[in-house]
Amino acid sequence: MKRLIPILFVFVLPLSVYAQKKEAINPLKGRPDLKGDLFLDFGFNMLTNNDAAEMSRRFFPSKTVNIYFQRPINLGEKSGFTLNPGIGFGLDKLAFKNDLMLVNDPDKGTNASKLVEVEDVYGEGISVNKNTTALNYIDVPIELRYHFNRSDYQQGFRIALGGKVGVLYEAHTKVKYTDADGLEQKVKTSGDLGLNKFRYGVYTRVGLGGFNLWAYYGLNEVFKTGQGPYETEAKQFNFGMSVALF
């Protein structure tokens, strides 16, 4: 994630440089009064439309972090409405229960996956300390936002409805375990895992000042048809809170 921050600012800086020249620091708000929002979302990643008990997840380790920059387009003077396109990163994690992990399933193809126990991969008698699957996307969100304070869009309550499309640029599993000899091991394995390369869905965001609550529902399946575990047709549902850094 640390390596992604400089990449994001490659997108953000050209968009915000004009605002930086015209807008000064607002001492009352304690942050630059720029023409845009840099959202840092924290939340949890769930799977819906899934009947396989083996695909149950651990709640807290199955988390998501989004980093989005969005620019407002006013839809009429003091109408309260803005259209907010943006770009950023969506970083999701899945942590399956019972020490199950995703691995390649050659019976279904080179880019398919199945769930197996971590011990089946790294040997019996190990103690699993961490076991997650990461799905990392470049996302393009766009939302229609209504500001109840039509005189100052930076203040007051607001609500937004929108959608986003994303491209999966990297996926991997990460397992940390202690073997029978007491040695700690960390293994990161990248792969296709039968995942869809694209995602799209709808979301809502409500907020006050620099704080927001949000929820996202994916309209397409996480895995390609017939390429995921147990013929799953699971879709994403994410929710959480966010802060506007500026």
Side-chain angles (χ1 to χ4, degrees):
M1 178 176 171
K2 293 180 180 179
R3 290 178 293 179
L4 297 181
I5 301 298
I7 299 175
L8 180 63
F9 275 91
V10 170
F11 296 108
V12 172
L13 289 177
L15 294 173
S16 61
V17 64
Y18 174 76
Q20 286 179 309
K21 290 180 180 179
K22 297 192 68 176
E23 301 290 343
I25 296 294
N26 188 329
L28 297 179
K29 297 173 186 175
R31 60 190 180 100
D33 187 16
L34 304 181
K35 298 298 183 182
D37 297 297
L38 180 61
F39 286 115
L40 184 58
D41 298 345
F42 300 94
F44 300 99
N45 186 25
M46 303 178 67
L47 297 180
T48 65
N49 194 36
N50 176 60
D51 296 327
E54 293 86 352
M55 291 192 67
S56 298
R57 276 95 37 225
R58 290 176 288 137
F59 181 76
F60 287 103
S62 297
K63 53 184 177 288
T64 185
V65 175
N66 301 319
I67 309 169
Y68 296 149
F69 180 76
Q70 293 178 270
R71 291 275 291 183
I73 301 173
N74 287 328
L75 302 179
E77 183 69 21
K78 293 187 177 181
S79 67
F81 287 99
T82 58
L83 188 67
N84 299 73
I87 192 170
F89 297 99
L91 313 175
D92 298 338
K93 287 188 177 181
L94 293 171
F96 296 100
K97 291 182 178 180
N98 303 317
D99 289 336
L100 295 177
M101 65 176 295
L102 285 171
V103 298
N104 178 253
D105 186 354
D107 293 335
K108 290 187 291 188
T110 56
N111 294 326
S113 64
K114 61 182 178 181
L115 280 172
V116 300
E117 293 185 9
V118 175
E119 283 192 347
D120 292 342
V121 180
Y122 299 112
E124 296 183 356
I126 65 174
S127 176
V128 180
N129 304 317
K130 182 178 182 180
N131 173 28
T132 58
T133 300
L135 290 68
N136 299 320
Y137 298 88
I138 295 177
D139 286 333
V140 178
I142 184 169
E143 65 185 51
L144 179 65
R145 193 180 302 173
Y146 180 72
H147 307 262
F148 285 80
N149 185 342
R150 291 185 290 178
S151 299
D152 185 355
Y153 289 179
Q154 298 298 320
Q155 300 294 318
F157 185 74
R158 62 188 173 275
I159 186 170
L161 296 175
K164 68 179 179 182
V165 296
V167 178
L168 182 73
Y169 68 89
E170 195 268 347
H172 66 263
T173 60
K174 181 180 291 185
V175 178
K176 294 182 181 180
Y177 66 91
T178 304
D179 64 20
D181 297 324
L183 297 176
E184 294 185 354
Q185 307 285 347
K186 180 172 68 173
V187 183
K188 177 181 176 181
T189 305
S190 299
D192 186 274
L193 299 174
L195 296 162
N196 265 319
K197 291 298 184 181
F198 298 93
R199 70 172 177 181
Y200 54 90
V202 294
Y203 72 89
T204 184
R205 187 191 301 273
V206 294
L208 180 66
F211 295 92
N212 304 267
L213 298 176
W214 61 271
Y216 164 80
Y217 180 75
L219 297 178
N220 68 320
E221 298 172 5
V222 177
F223 294 89
K224 299 173 186 175
T225 302
Q227 299 298 293
Y230 311 108
E231 304 298 325
T232 182
E233 297 179 353
K235 299 179 179 180
Q236 280 188 311
F237 175 65
N238 301 344
F239 64 95
M241 65 168 293
S242 66
V243 293
L245 300 183
F246 61 74

